[in-house]
Amino acid sequence: MLYYAVPRLSLSGGLESLFAGSWLLFALLAVAGNLTGILYSPKKHKVKRKMEYKRLRQY
């Protein structure tokens, strides 16, 4: 959406400029929030699955 909309935004003018700037700010905040969620998400450990499998085989 940013790729499509940013070239069409006009930052010269009164109310139109205010809308374009606020839209751009909120869009960049959404992108930053999604990147933060991806980068700081807990990692899945494959070792834990192997230990559970061995534990189940022992019974």
Side-chain angles (χ1 to χ4, degrees):
M1 196 166 153
L2 281 173
Y3 181 76
Y4 179 76
V6 169
R8 290 164 176 78
L9 290 176
S10 174
L11 296 176
S12 61
L15 195 55
E16 181 182 350
S17 173
L18 180 65
F19 173 76
S22 63
W23 187 90
L24 188 59
L25 176 69
F26 286 129
L28 291 176
L29 284 175
V31 169
N34 286 324
L35 284 176
T36 302
I38 291 170
L39 291 175
Y40 292 111
S41 63
K43 305 294 181 206
K44 295 180 182 178
H45 297 287
K46 293 182 180 180
V47 177
K48 186 177 180 181
R49 290 184 190 172
K50 289 180 182 178
M51 291 179 67
E52 289 176 5
Y53 178 69
K54 286 181 181 179
R55 195 178 326 149
L56 289 174
R57 285 184 66 191
Q58 289 175 355
Y59 289 112

